Short mmCIF file of all heavy atoms in Angstrom, two decimals:
data_model
loop_
_atom_site.label_atom_id
_atom_site.label_comp_id
_atom_site.label_asym_id
_atom_site.label_seq_id
_atom_site.Cartn_x
_atom_site.Cartn_y
_atom_site.Cartn_z
N PRO E 302 51.62 -46.69 -35.59
CA PRO E 302 50.86 -47.99 -35.33
C PRO E 302 51.40 -49.12 -36.21
O PRO E 302 51.69 -48.91 -37.38
CB PRO E 302 49.41 -47.67 -35.58
CG PRO E 302 49.25 -46.19 -35.49
CD PRO E 302 50.60 -45.74 -36.05
N VAL E 303 51.48 -50.23 -35.63
CA VAL E 303 52.08 -51.42 -36.40
C VAL E 303 51.20 -51.74 -37.58
O VAL E 303 51.71 -52.04 -38.72
CB VAL E 303 52.07 -52.72 -35.47
CG1 VAL E 303 52.46 -53.98 -36.25
CG2 VAL E 303 53.03 -52.50 -34.28
N ASP E 304 49.82 -51.69 -37.42
CA ASP E 304 48.97 -52.01 -38.63
C ASP E 304 49.22 -51.06 -39.72
O ASP E 304 49.03 -51.37 -40.96
CB ASP E 304 47.52 -52.11 -38.16
CG ASP E 304 46.99 -50.80 -37.57
OD1 ASP E 304 47.67 -50.01 -37.17
OD2 ASP E 304 45.67 -50.78 -37.47
N VAL E 305 49.50 -49.82 -39.43
CA VAL E 305 49.76 -48.80 -40.58
C VAL E 305 51.11 -49.19 -41.30
O VAL E 305 51.17 -49.20 -42.52
CB VAL E 305 49.88 -47.34 -39.95
CG1 VAL E 305 50.39 -46.35 -41.00
CG2 VAL E 305 48.51 -46.96 -39.43
N LEU E 306 52.09 -49.51 -40.57
CA LEU E 306 53.32 -49.83 -41.06
C LEU E 306 53.32 -51.13 -41.89
O LEU E 306 53.87 -51.21 -43.02
CB LEU E 306 54.49 -49.91 -40.01
CG LEU E 306 55.88 -49.77 -40.44
CD1 LEU E 306 56.03 -48.43 -41.19
CD2 LEU E 306 56.81 -49.78 -39.25
N LYS E 307 52.54 -52.12 -41.41
CA LYS E 307 52.30 -53.36 -42.19
C LYS E 307 51.56 -53.09 -43.51
O LYS E 307 51.85 -53.64 -44.52
CB LYS E 307 51.49 -54.33 -41.41
CG LYS E 307 52.25 -55.04 -40.30
CD LYS E 307 51.37 -56.00 -39.49
CE LYS E 307 52.14 -56.75 -38.40
NZ LYS E 307 51.22 -57.59 -37.56
N LYS E 308 50.53 -52.18 -43.42
CA LYS E 308 49.87 -51.73 -44.65
C LYS E 308 50.72 -51.15 -45.65
O LYS E 308 50.60 -51.38 -46.87
CB LYS E 308 48.70 -50.95 -44.27
CG LYS E 308 47.79 -50.61 -45.46
CD LYS E 308 47.08 -51.85 -46.05
CE LYS E 308 46.07 -51.41 -47.13
NZ LYS E 308 44.96 -52.38 -47.34
N ILE E 309 51.65 -50.24 -45.20
CA ILE E 309 52.52 -49.58 -46.11
C ILE E 309 53.48 -50.57 -46.81
O ILE E 309 53.66 -50.54 -48.04
CB ILE E 309 53.45 -48.49 -45.37
CG1 ILE E 309 52.51 -47.30 -44.82
CG2 ILE E 309 54.55 -47.98 -46.18
CD1 ILE E 309 53.13 -46.48 -43.88
N ASP E 310 53.92 -51.50 -46.04
CA ASP E 310 54.83 -52.64 -46.58
C ASP E 310 53.92 -53.36 -47.60
O ASP E 310 54.48 -53.69 -48.64
CB ASP E 310 55.23 -53.60 -45.49
CG ASP E 310 56.14 -54.63 -45.97
OD1 ASP E 310 57.09 -54.35 -46.76
OD2 ASP E 310 55.90 -55.78 -45.50
N GLU E 311 52.77 -53.69 -47.27
CA GLU E 311 51.87 -54.46 -48.20
C GLU E 311 51.63 -53.63 -49.52
O GLU E 311 51.72 -54.25 -50.66
CB GLU E 311 50.57 -54.71 -47.54
CG GLU E 311 49.46 -55.45 -48.37
CD GLU E 311 48.21 -55.56 -47.56
OE1 GLU E 311 48.14 -55.80 -46.41
OE2 GLU E 311 47.11 -55.19 -48.20
N LEU E 312 51.36 -52.40 -49.37
CA LEU E 312 50.97 -51.58 -50.53
C LEU E 312 52.20 -51.45 -51.52
O LEU E 312 51.96 -51.63 -52.76
CB LEU E 312 50.60 -50.12 -50.13
CG LEU E 312 49.24 -50.06 -49.39
CD1 LEU E 312 49.08 -48.63 -48.72
CD2 LEU E 312 48.10 -50.38 -50.33
N VAL E 313 53.40 -51.18 -51.03
CA VAL E 313 54.52 -51.15 -51.85
C VAL E 313 54.80 -52.46 -52.55
O VAL E 313 55.11 -52.57 -53.66
CB VAL E 313 55.80 -50.56 -51.11
CG1 VAL E 313 56.36 -51.57 -50.17
CG2 VAL E 313 56.86 -50.11 -52.13
N ASN E 314 54.70 -53.59 -51.82
CA ASN E 314 54.79 -54.86 -52.43
C ASN E 314 53.86 -55.17 -53.48
O ASN E 314 54.16 -55.91 -54.42
CB ASN E 314 54.79 -55.98 -51.26
CG ASN E 314 56.17 -56.13 -50.60
OD1 ASN E 314 57.21 -56.59 -51.22
ND2 ASN E 314 56.28 -55.58 -49.42
N GLU E 315 52.68 -54.64 -53.40
CA GLU E 315 51.63 -54.81 -54.45
C GLU E 315 51.73 -53.83 -55.59
O GLU E 315 50.94 -53.96 -56.58
CB GLU E 315 50.32 -54.71 -53.80
CG GLU E 315 50.00 -55.87 -52.79
CD GLU E 315 48.61 -55.66 -52.16
OE1 GLU E 315 47.98 -54.67 -52.37
OE2 GLU E 315 48.26 -56.68 -51.39
N GLY E 316 52.78 -52.96 -55.61
CA GLY E 316 52.95 -52.14 -56.70
C GLY E 316 52.86 -50.60 -56.49
O GLY E 316 52.98 -49.83 -57.44
#
Side-chain angles (χ1 to χ4, degrees):
V303 173
D304 59 344
V305 171
L306 204 51
K307 284 180 179 177
K308 183 66 174 204
I309 292 165
D310 182 48
E311 176 187 315
L312 292 169
V313 72
N314 277 287
E315 290 176 357

